[in-house]
Amino acid sequence: MELDFTGKVAVVTGGSKGIGLATARTLRAEGAHVVAASRKSSPELDALAGPGLVHFPADLTDPDAPAAVVAHAVEIFGGLDVLVNNAGGPPPGATLPRFSFLPLTDADWRDMFEFNLLSAVRAIRAAIPVMVGRGGGSIVNVSSAVARQPGAMNADYAAAKAALTTLTKALSEEFAPQGVRVNSVSPGPVRTPWWTDEGGAADVLAAAFGADRDAVLEQVAPEAMAVRTGRLLDPQEIADMIALLASPRSASTTGADVLVDGGFHKAV
């Protein structure tokens, strides 16, 4: 299916690895001009760079950074049609999972909401006037399945993502009449560097369960989270749904929250 991205301009935050990298690669392959924003680039992102895809170094927890990313897209590509708010997960300096609510300080909560909610709020605030001026656009926020099905771990992360999902629906109500669609994708556990990096979630859970990290990635984590497909998701599976929602082929889809979670979420 042709997704009709030729000539469109997209910003992808958190675009150097994981879901963001897969999304930037997919949108570029479909013909979009892409600005991938992240604190640092990566060899994989550098391999994609060229006239149609550029990296913009930005710490999305800096209040001025999201607007600067949008301004850069306008400056080099002439506008903005697609915004993918993918930056999220553990804030800089934090490691997830965290197993209890009680040790979390006010600073922990502020950092989590800065990275997972307010960075998106600021990017959207900068993007919508540009999109409206071009006759419309599409925003896709990367939320999480734990926004709908929270557990005992990572209460701050689940709360921030639930707020992002709610924001998505509120904005879709206000801006659909102006041609701006706003949707969210809620992944289950995805095999990204958040899990696989040294000291990441696989190592934390390996220590907690008394297992080795490979067993955590292949079996322990999917079973503990009741992922019915029996495996962590691939970033490309999320990127494909993001691309479809962002595409003009989804012109009547707004305010949706699409689960791509391997059956993790059980409620109707």
Side-chain angles (χ1 to χ4, degrees):
M1 175 172 30
E2 294 290 333
L3 295 182
D4 300 334
F5 281 117
T6 300
K8 302 293 186 183
V9 180
V11 162
V12 180
T13 67
S16 63
K17 56 188 178 180
I19 294 169
L21 176 66
T23 301
R25 181 189 296 118
T26 300
L27 294 178
R28 180 67 194 122
E30 292 289 339
H33 298 297
V34 179
V35 174
S38 60
R39 285 188 296 276
K40 298 185 293 184
S41 189
S42 65
E44 295 83 2
L45 183 60
D46 290 342
L48 299 175
L53 188 149
V54 299
H55 174 249
F56 186 80
D59 177 356
L60 275 302
T61 62
D62 176 351
D64 295 327
V69 176
V70 171
H72 189 67
V74 173
E75 178 184 354
I76 64 170
F77 292 133
L80 182 64
D81 304 289
V82 174
L83 170 63
V84 179
N85 283 308
N86 167 71
T95 299
L96 299 184
R98 294 190 281 215
F99 295 95
S100 175
F101 163 81
L102 290 176
L104 295 172
T105 66
D106 283 0
D108 292 327
W109 280 90
R110 280 193 294 269
D111 290 347
M112 187 64 72
F113 272 70
E114 281 283 345
F115 193 34
N116 288 277
L117 177 65
L118 290 176
S119 66
V121 167
R122 293 162 181 148
I124 293 167
R125 192 161 53 209
I128 282 180
V130 179
M131 292 180 173
V132 170
R134 286 166 70 85
S138 176
I139 297 169
V140 181
N141 296 320
V142 179
S143 184
S144 172
V146 300
R148 294 200 203 182
Q149 186 165 303
M153 295 190 297
N154 304 326
D156 52 342
Y157 175 72
K161 289 300 191 181
L164 183 61
T165 301
T166 299
L167 174 69
T168 298
K169 293 187 176 294
L171 293 174
S172 72
E173 283 289 305
E174 180 175 357
F175 292 103
Q178 299 176 62
V180 179
R181 298 183 299 109
V182 190
N183 295 289
S184 57
V185 174
S186 289
V190 183
R191 192 169 181 141
T192 65
W194 172 5
W195 280 84
T196 60
D197 278 353
E198 184 176 354
D203 288 332
V204 174
L205 290 173
F209 286 110
D212 66 72
R213 69 186 329 270
D214 290 338
V216 167
L217 290 168
E218 299 299 331
Q219 181 179 2
V220 175
E223 288 182 357
M225 299 180 74
V227 178
R228 302 316 303 158
T229 54
R231 61 174 177 82
L232 300 184
L233 283 76
D234 186 273
Q236 189 62 52
E237 295 174 298
I238 315 304
D240 289 342
M241 181 55 69
I242 291 170
L244 179 59
L245 284 175
S247 166
R249 299 299 294 268
S250 297
S252 292
T253 303
T254 193
D257 177 48
V258 180
L259 285 161
V260 185
D261 68 350
F264 164 78
H265 181 68
K266 305 298 189 290
V268 175

